[in-house]
Amino acid sequence: MEMTNRSLHGDSKVDCVSCDGLISRNCGDSADVSVPLTLPGKRTTHMEGDDLYRLRDRKLLLEDKKRLCAWALGTALFGILLMIIHAEICPYVYTPGSNIALIINCSISLSTGCLLILITAFHYKDIQLFIIDHNQVDWRIAMTSHRIIVITLELLVCVIHPVGSYWGVGLHVNSSSTVPTPSPLCVSSHHGEALMDMELLLSVLMFLRLYLVHRAILLHSKVLLSASYRSIGSLNNINFTFRFVLKVLMNKHPARMLLVFILFFWLTVSWMLTLCERQTKESTGHMDTALWLIAITFLTVGYGDVAPKTNCGKAVCLFTGVMGVACTAMLVAIVTEKLALNKGEKHVHFFMMDIQISKRIRHAAANVLRECWLLHRANVTKGNRGEHRKHQRCLLEAIRVFRHLRLKQRKLRDYVSEMVDLPKMQMIMCDLSANWNNSYRELEQRILSMEQKLDELSRCFQQTSDLLSQAVRHRNPEIR
């Protein structure tokens, strides 16, 4: 489940402290943080220093969430690896119902149980973080219907794993008279095709656990851990979800990200196809043929020399074709961006093209004047009609070329004004606006200083008039 904007950045003060590590753990203390989940109706009074404790608890919870997510991803990959080993060595190393098959299947089930515990602990930490960010008093406020549905879906996805070995052991013990025939999925054929199809479906659906990759990338990305990113993003109402992090990574390393995804997708889907086609005993059940079929399907070529036989294989090829179209579109966008000129290169290129077109326009204008002079001379000398028509034809062609070059120059300058001049004009207008603001502030300061000086002058005039009146009264005491 993607972290929401509320649980990611809360308020800006919390983010800056928690992301840059201004408050760290004391002496490496790894004890879990216990956030009191109070009963409804009780409110705690805000005391001095509570914000500091909230910052510390929030940082510890974020670190715990990252650690739990990493452990959950590792456990999921370990379970998928055990499933692949179980499916690969089963038809060649041991028979259905053997103890080795039971041990590997029990290991897969144990890893699944650990994964469920880690997922539950992760969501528990997420709820605690929600309570700290929103300063709520009841933990049930965080349990919305959306959160409950997401947690249930995650637990259902993570609980999927093959269980056919348990059925095979019971059948091997009960029916000792018959010898079970080995199957591609190490499931006894006495249960028929239903159990084999269910085992195949559960094995393929285990790859749904890879959804934890996007959560690990989100929690361990430098974008999410940067306080500057999150502060500016909160001011612009940007949600720091996996989609935003993926866009940032694709903008920074497009070719690397696409190459890694295509290689991983190619190998994973090829193995899934071999698992689906292994029952048919066809060439598509081998890894080399599956790699070729997935490659030509991914590239939407489809030679037709190899085709899947089972419904599972057809579904895998259909999914591969859809992903191939999407990756081809991304590849075209990346190549187009790499081949496109940047702003400086466009400026140089358009400048040189403008110079070349200007030269061609001058030559075309000279040709028009020359043909006009030749036509005038032919009219004056009254030459033959063929020469007169020849000069008229050349004059019309020169005028056509001149008009075509002028139109081409106008289009080029319009495009250059759209690409280069408009941002430049915007910068000029911004500079003018800044200068006007500075001038306005200076004018206000001058007006204030003038008002102060006028007040001083009025006080001086008042004092002078008082002194003069006193002096006159002192000289002429009879004047009052």
Short mmCIF file of all heavy atoms in Angstrom, two decimals, residues 233-275:
data_model
loop_
_atom_site.label_atom_id
_atom_site.label_comp_id
_atom_site.label_asym_id
_atom_site.label_seq_id
_atom_site.Cartn_x
_atom_site.Cartn_y
_atom_site.Cartn_z
N GLY A 233 7.58 19.95 -2.00
CA GLY A 233 6.43 19.20 -2.48
C GLY A 233 5.19 19.46 -1.66
O GLY A 233 4.08 19.54 -2.21
N SER A 234 5.33 19.62 -0.35
CA SER A 234 4.15 19.92 0.48
C SER A 234 3.59 21.30 0.18
O SER A 234 2.38 21.52 0.25
CB SER A 234 4.53 19.82 1.96
OG SER A 234 5.54 20.77 2.27
N LEU A 235 4.47 22.24 -0.19
CA LEU A 235 3.99 23.57 -0.56
C LEU A 235 3.24 23.55 -1.89
O LEU A 235 2.38 24.40 -2.13
CB LEU A 235 5.16 24.55 -0.64
CG LEU A 235 5.89 24.86 0.68
CD1 LEU A 235 7.07 25.76 0.44
CD2 LEU A 235 4.93 25.50 1.68
N ASN A 236 3.59 22.61 -2.77
CA ASN A 236 2.95 22.52 -4.08
C ASN A 236 1.91 21.40 -4.16
O ASN A 236 1.49 21.04 -5.27
CB ASN A 236 4.02 22.28 -5.16
CG ASN A 236 4.91 23.48 -5.36
OD1 ASN A 236 4.59 24.41 -6.06
ND2 ASN A 236 6.07 23.46 -4.70
N ASN A 237 1.52 20.84 -3.02
CA ASN A 237 0.49 19.79 -2.96
C ASN A 237 0.86 18.58 -3.81
O ASN A 237 0.07 18.08 -4.61
CB ASN A 237 -0.87 20.34 -3.39
CG ASN A 237 -1.39 21.41 -2.45
OD1 ASN A 237 -1.17 21.33 -1.26
ND2 ASN A 237 -2.07 22.41 -2.99
N ILE A 238 2.10 18.11 -3.67
CA ILE A 238 2.59 16.94 -4.39
C ILE A 238 2.59 15.75 -3.45
O ILE A 238 3.16 15.81 -2.36
CB ILE A 238 4.01 17.18 -4.95
CG1 ILE A 238 4.01 18.38 -5.90
CG2 ILE A 238 4.52 15.94 -5.67
CD1 ILE A 238 3.15 18.21 -7.12
N ASN A 239 1.94 14.67 -3.88
CA ASN A 239 1.94 13.44 -3.09
C ASN A 239 3.16 12.60 -3.46
O ASN A 239 3.37 12.28 -4.63
CB ASN A 239 0.67 12.63 -3.36
CG ASN A 239 -0.57 13.34 -2.87
OD1 ASN A 239 -0.52 14.06 -1.89
ND2 ASN A 239 -1.68 13.15 -3.56
N PHE A 240 3.96 12.25 -2.49
CA PHE A 240 5.17 11.48 -2.73
C PHE A 240 4.81 10.00 -2.75
O PHE A 240 5.02 9.26 -1.79
CB PHE A 240 6.22 11.78 -1.66
CG PHE A 240 6.90 13.11 -1.85
CD1 PHE A 240 6.34 14.26 -1.36
CD2 PHE A 240 8.07 13.19 -2.57
CE1 PHE A 240 6.94 15.49 -1.55
CE2 PHE A 240 8.69 14.41 -2.77
CZ PHE A 240 8.13 15.56 -2.26
N THR A 241 4.27 9.57 -3.86
CA THR A 241 3.90 8.19 -4.07
C THR A 241 4.93 7.51 -4.96
O THR A 241 5.90 8.13 -5.42
CB THR A 241 2.50 8.09 -4.70
OG1 THR A 241 2.50 8.82 -5.94
CG2 THR A 241 1.45 8.70 -3.79
N PHE A 242 4.70 6.21 -5.20
CA PHE A 242 5.63 5.47 -6.05
C PHE A 242 5.61 6.01 -7.48
O PHE A 242 6.64 5.95 -8.18
CB PHE A 242 5.24 3.98 -6.04
CG PHE A 242 6.07 3.14 -6.97
CD1 PHE A 242 7.40 2.89 -6.71
CD2 PHE A 242 5.51 2.62 -8.12
CE1 PHE A 242 8.16 2.12 -7.58
CE2 PHE A 242 6.26 1.85 -8.99
CZ PHE A 242 7.59 1.59 -8.71
N ARG A 243 4.49 6.52 -7.92
CA ARG A 243 4.42 7.08 -9.27
C ARG A 243 5.35 8.28 -9.43
O ARG A 243 6.06 8.41 -10.43
CB ARG A 243 2.98 7.50 -9.58
CG ARG A 243 2.77 8.00 -10.99
CD ARG A 243 1.33 8.43 -11.17
NE ARG A 243 0.42 7.32 -10.92
CZ ARG A 243 -0.90 7.45 -10.91
NH1 ARG A 243 -1.45 8.64 -11.14
NH2 ARG A 243 -1.66 6.40 -10.67
N PHE A 244 5.39 9.15 -8.41
CA PHE A 244 6.28 10.31 -8.48
C PHE A 244 7.74 9.87 -8.44
O PHE A 244 8.58 10.39 -9.20
CB PHE A 244 5.97 11.26 -7.33
CG PHE A 244 6.88 12.44 -7.24
CD1 PHE A 244 6.74 13.50 -8.12
CD2 PHE A 244 7.88 12.50 -6.28
CE1 PHE A 244 7.59 14.59 -8.04
CE2 PHE A 244 8.72 13.58 -6.20
CZ PHE A 244 8.58 14.64 -7.09
N VAL A 245 8.06 8.92 -7.56
CA VAL A 245 9.44 8.44 -7.46
C VAL A 245 9.87 7.76 -8.77
O VAL A 245 11.00 7.93 -9.24
CB VAL A 245 9.58 7.49 -6.26
CG1 VAL A 245 10.97 6.87 -6.22
CG2 VAL A 245 9.30 8.21 -4.97
N LEU A 246 8.95 6.99 -9.39
CA LEU A 246 9.27 6.33 -10.65
C LEU A 246 9.51 7.35 -11.76
O LEU A 246 10.42 7.18 -12.59
CB LEU A 246 8.13 5.38 -11.04
CG LEU A 246 8.34 4.56 -12.31
CD1 LEU A 246 9.55 3.65 -12.18
CD2 LEU A 246 7.10 3.74 -12.62
N LYS A 247 8.72 8.42 -11.78
CA LYS A 247 8.94 9.46 -12.79
C LYS A 247 10.30 10.13 -12.61
O LYS A 247 10.99 10.42 -13.59
CB LYS A 247 7.82 10.51 -12.69
CG LYS A 247 6.47 10.03 -13.19
CD LYS A 247 5.43 11.13 -13.05
CE LYS A 247 4.06 10.65 -13.51
NZ LYS A 247 3.04 11.70 -13.35
N VAL A 248 10.68 10.37 -11.35
CA VAL A 248 11.98 10.98 -11.09
C VAL A 248 13.11 10.06 -11.55
O VAL A 248 14.08 10.49 -12.19
CB VAL A 248 12.11 11.32 -9.59
CG1 VAL A 248 13.53 11.78 -9.27
CG2 VAL A 248 11.11 12.39 -9.20
N LEU A 249 13.00 8.77 -11.24
CA LEU A 249 14.03 7.81 -11.65
C LEU A 249 14.09 7.68 -13.17
O LEU A 249 15.18 7.57 -13.75
CB LEU A 249 13.77 6.45 -11.01
CG LEU A 249 13.94 6.38 -9.49
CD1 LEU A 249 13.56 4.99 -8.99
CD2 LEU A 249 15.37 6.70 -9.09
N MET A 250 12.93 7.68 -13.84
CA MET A 250 12.91 7.59 -15.30
C MET A 250 13.50 8.83 -15.94
O MET A 250 14.10 8.76 -17.02
CB MET A 250 11.49 7.36 -15.79
CG MET A 250 10.96 5.96 -15.52
SD MET A 250 11.90 4.67 -16.38
CE MET A 250 11.51 5.05 -18.08
N ASN A 251 13.34 9.99 -15.32
CA ASN A 251 13.93 11.21 -15.86
C ASN A 251 15.44 11.26 -15.64
O ASN A 251 16.17 11.79 -16.48
CB ASN A 251 13.28 12.45 -15.23
CG ASN A 251 11.88 12.69 -15.75
OD1 ASN A 251 11.61 12.43 -16.92
ND2 ASN A 251 10.99 13.17 -14.91
N LYS A 252 15.90 10.68 -14.53
CA LYS A 252 17.33 10.70 -14.24
C LYS A 252 18.07 9.58 -14.95
O LYS A 252 19.14 9.81 -15.54
CB LYS A 252 17.55 10.59 -12.72
CG LYS A 252 17.07 11.80 -11.95
CD LYS A 252 17.24 11.60 -10.45
CE LYS A 252 18.70 11.47 -10.05
NZ LYS A 252 18.84 11.36 -8.59
N HIS A 253 17.54 8.35 -14.91
CA HIS A 253 18.21 7.20 -15.53
C HIS A 253 17.20 6.43 -16.38
O HIS A 253 16.77 5.33 -16.00
CB HIS A 253 18.81 6.28 -14.46
CG HIS A 253 19.62 7.00 -13.43
ND1 HIS A 253 20.86 7.54 -13.71
CD2 HIS A 253 19.36 7.29 -12.12
CE1 HIS A 253 21.34 8.11 -12.61
NE2 HIS A 253 20.45 7.98 -11.64
N PRO A 254 16.78 6.97 -17.52
CA PRO A 254 15.73 6.29 -18.30
C PRO A 254 16.20 4.99 -18.92
O PRO A 254 15.52 3.96 -18.83
CB PRO A 254 15.36 7.33 -19.36
CG PRO A 254 16.54 8.21 -19.47
CD PRO A 254 17.18 8.24 -18.13
N ALA A 255 17.37 5.00 -19.56
CA ALA A 255 17.84 3.80 -20.25
C ALA A 255 18.16 2.67 -19.26
O ALA A 255 17.83 1.51 -19.50
CB ALA A 255 19.09 4.13 -21.08
N ARG A 256 18.76 3.02 -18.14
CA ARG A 256 19.13 2.01 -17.15
C ARG A 256 17.89 1.35 -16.54
O ARG A 256 17.81 0.12 -16.41
CB ARG A 256 19.98 2.65 -16.06
CG ARG A 256 20.60 1.68 -15.08
CD ARG A 256 21.35 2.45 -14.00
NE ARG A 256 22.28 3.40 -14.57
CZ ARG A 256 22.97 4.28 -13.86
NH1 ARG A 256 22.80 4.34 -12.54
NH2 ARG A 256 23.80 5.12 -14.44
N MET A 257 16.90 2.17 -16.18
CA MET A 257 15.68 1.63 -15.59
C MET A 257 14.93 0.73 -16.57
O MET A 257 14.47 -0.36 -16.21
CB MET A 257 14.78 2.78 -15.14
CG MET A 257 15.32 3.59 -13.99
SD MET A 257 15.37 2.68 -12.44
CE MET A 257 13.63 2.40 -12.19
N LEU A 258 14.83 1.16 -17.82
CA LEU A 258 14.10 0.37 -18.82
C LEU A 258 14.83 -0.93 -19.13
O LEU A 258 14.21 -1.99 -19.30
CB LEU A 258 13.91 1.20 -20.09
CG LEU A 258 12.95 0.64 -21.13
CD1 LEU A 258 11.56 0.48 -20.54
CD2 LEU A 258 12.90 1.54 -22.35
N LEU A 259 16.17 -0.88 -19.18
CA LEU A 259 16.94 -2.10 -19.46
C LEU A 259 16.79 -3.12 -18.35
O LEU A 259 16.59 -4.32 -18.60
CB LEU A 259 18.41 -1.73 -19.67
CG LEU A 259 19.37 -2.89 -19.97
CD1 LEU A 259 18.97 -3.59 -21.27
CD2 LEU A 259 20.80 -2.40 -20.04
N VAL A 260 16.87 -2.66 -17.10
CA VAL A 260 16.73 -3.59 -15.96
C VAL A 260 15.34 -4.20 -15.94
O VAL A 260 15.18 -5.42 -15.72
CB VAL A 260 17.04 -2.84 -14.65
CG1 VAL A 260 16.68 -3.69 -13.45
CG2 VAL A 260 18.51 -2.45 -14.59
N PHE A 261 14.33 -3.40 -16.18
CA PHE A 261 12.96 -3.92 -16.17
C PHE A 261 12.74 -4.94 -17.29
O PHE A 261 12.12 -5.99 -17.06
CB PHE A 261 11.97 -2.77 -16.32
CG PHE A 261 10.54 -3.22 -16.46
CD1 PHE A 261 9.83 -3.66 -15.37
CD2 PHE A 261 9.91 -3.20 -17.70
CE1 PHE A 261 8.51 -4.09 -15.50
CE2 PHE A 261 8.60 -3.62 -17.84
CZ PHE A 261 7.90 -4.07 -16.74
N ILE A 262 13.25 -4.66 -18.48
CA ILE A 262 13.04 -5.57 -19.61
C ILE A 262 13.74 -6.90 -19.36
O ILE A 262 13.18 -7.97 -19.62
CB ILE A 262 13.51 -4.92 -20.92
CG1 ILE A 262 12.56 -3.79 -21.31
CG2 ILE A 262 13.58 -5.94 -22.04
CD1 ILE A 262 13.00 -3.01 -22.53
N LEU A 263 14.97 -6.86 -18.86
CA LEU A 263 15.71 -8.11 -18.60
C LEU A 263 15.02 -8.94 -17.52
O LEU A 263 14.85 -10.16 -17.66
CB LEU A 263 17.14 -7.79 -18.19
CG LEU A 263 18.06 -7.25 -19.29
CD1 LEU A 263 19.44 -6.92 -18.74
CD2 LEU A 263 18.18 -8.26 -20.44
N PHE A 264 14.62 -8.29 -16.42
CA PHE A 264 13.95 -9.01 -15.35
C PHE A 264 12.61 -9.57 -15.83
O PHE A 264 12.26 -10.73 -15.53
CB PHE A 264 13.74 -8.08 -14.15
CG PHE A 264 13.04 -8.72 -13.00
CD1 PHE A 264 13.72 -9.58 -12.15
CD2 PHE A 264 11.70 -8.47 -12.74
CE1 PHE A 264 13.08 -10.18 -11.07
CE2 PHE A 264 11.05 -9.06 -11.68
CZ PHE A 264 11.74 -9.91 -10.84
N PHE A 265 11.86 -8.79 -16.57
CA PHE A 265 10.57 -9.25 -17.09
C PHE A 265 10.76 -10.40 -18.07
O PHE A 265 9.97 -11.37 -18.07
CB PHE A 265 9.86 -8.07 -17.75
CG PHE A 265 8.52 -8.42 -18.31
CD1 PHE A 265 7.40 -8.48 -17.50
CD2 PHE A 265 8.36 -8.68 -19.67
CE1 PHE A 265 6.16 -8.80 -18.01
CE2 PHE A 265 7.12 -9.00 -20.19
CZ PHE A 265 6.02 -9.07 -19.36
N TRP A 266 11.76 -10.34 -18.91
CA TRP A 266 12.02 -11.37 -19.91
C TRP A 266 12.32 -12.71 -19.25
O TRP A 266 11.74 -13.75 -19.61
CB TRP A 266 13.18 -10.91 -20.79
CG TRP A 266 13.51 -11.83 -21.92
CD1 TRP A 266 12.65 -12.60 -22.64
CD2 TRP A 266 14.81 -12.09 -22.45
NE1 TRP A 266 13.31 -13.30 -23.60
CE2 TRP A 266 14.64 -13.00 -23.50
CE3 TRP A 266 16.08 -11.61 -22.16
CZ2 TRP A 266 15.73 -13.47 -24.25
CZ3 TRP A 266 17.15 -12.07 -22.90
CH2 TRP A 266 16.97 -12.98 -23.94
N LEU A 267 13.23 -12.71 -18.27
CA LEU A 267 13.60 -13.95 -17.61
C LEU A 267 12.44 -14.51 -16.78
O LEU A 267 12.17 -15.73 -16.81
CB LEU A 267 14.82 -13.72 -16.71
CG LEU A 267 16.12 -13.32 -17.43
CD1 LEU A 267 17.20 -13.00 -16.42
CD2 LEU A 267 16.57 -14.43 -18.37
N THR A 268 11.72 -13.64 -16.07
CA THR A 268 10.63 -14.12 -15.22
C THR A 268 9.49 -14.72 -16.04
O THR A 268 9.00 -15.83 -15.75
CB THR A 268 10.10 -12.96 -14.36
OG1 THR A 268 11.18 -12.41 -13.60
CG2 THR A 268 9.02 -13.44 -13.42
N VAL A 269 9.06 -14.02 -17.07
CA VAL A 269 7.94 -14.50 -17.88
C VAL A 269 8.34 -15.73 -18.68
O VAL A 269 7.51 -16.63 -18.90
CB VAL A 269 7.43 -13.37 -18.79
CG1 VAL A 269 6.30 -13.85 -19.67
CG2 VAL A 269 6.97 -12.19 -17.96
N SER A 270 9.60 -15.83 -19.09
CA SER A 270 10.06 -17.03 -19.80
C SER A 270 9.97 -18.26 -18.90
O SER A 270 9.53 -19.34 -19.34
CB SER A 270 11.49 -16.83 -20.30
OG SER A 270 11.57 -15.76 -21.21
N TRP A 271 10.37 -18.10 -17.65
CA TRP A 271 10.27 -19.25 -16.74
C TRP A 271 8.80 -19.60 -16.47
O TRP A 271 8.45 -20.78 -16.37
CB TRP A 271 10.98 -18.94 -15.43
CG TRP A 271 11.01 -20.13 -14.53
CD1 TRP A 271 11.91 -21.15 -14.54
CD2 TRP A 271 10.06 -20.45 -13.51
NE1 TRP A 271 11.59 -22.08 -13.59
CE2 TRP A 271 10.46 -21.68 -12.93
CE3 TRP A 271 8.92 -19.83 -13.02
CZ2 TRP A 271 9.76 -22.28 -11.90
CZ3 TRP A 271 8.22 -20.42 -11.99
CH2 TRP A 271 8.64 -21.63 -11.45
N MET A 272 7.95 -18.60 -16.34
CA MET A 272 6.52 -18.87 -16.15
C MET A 272 5.95 -19.62 -17.34
O MET A 272 5.11 -20.53 -17.19
CB MET A 272 5.76 -17.56 -15.93
CG MET A 272 6.09 -16.87 -14.61
SD MET A 272 5.39 -15.20 -14.47
CE MET A 272 3.65 -15.60 -14.53
N LEU A 273 6.41 -19.28 -18.55
CA LEU A 273 5.93 -19.99 -19.73
C LEU A 273 6.39 -21.44 -19.74
O LEU A 273 5.62 -22.35 -20.11
CB LEU A 273 6.40 -19.27 -20.99
CG LEU A 273 5.95 -19.86 -22.32
CD1 LEU A 273 4.43 -19.81 -22.44
CD2 LEU A 273 6.59 -19.11 -23.49
N THR A 274 7.64 -21.69 -19.35
CA THR A 274 8.11 -23.08 -19.28
C THR A 274 7.32 -23.87 -18.24
O THR A 274 7.02 -25.05 -18.44
CB THR A 274 9.60 -23.10 -18.91
OG1 THR A 274 9.80 -22.44 -17.65
CG2 THR A 274 10.44 -22.42 -19.98
N LEU A 275 6.95 -23.21 -17.14
CA LEU A 275 6.16 -23.90 -16.12
C LEU A 275 4.77 -24.25 -16.64
O LEU A 275 4.23 -25.31 -16.34
CB LEU A 275 6.06 -23.02 -14.88
CG LEU A 275 5.42 -23.64 -13.64
CD1 LEU A 275 6.27 -24.78 -13.12
CD2 LEU A 275 5.23 -22.58 -12.56
#
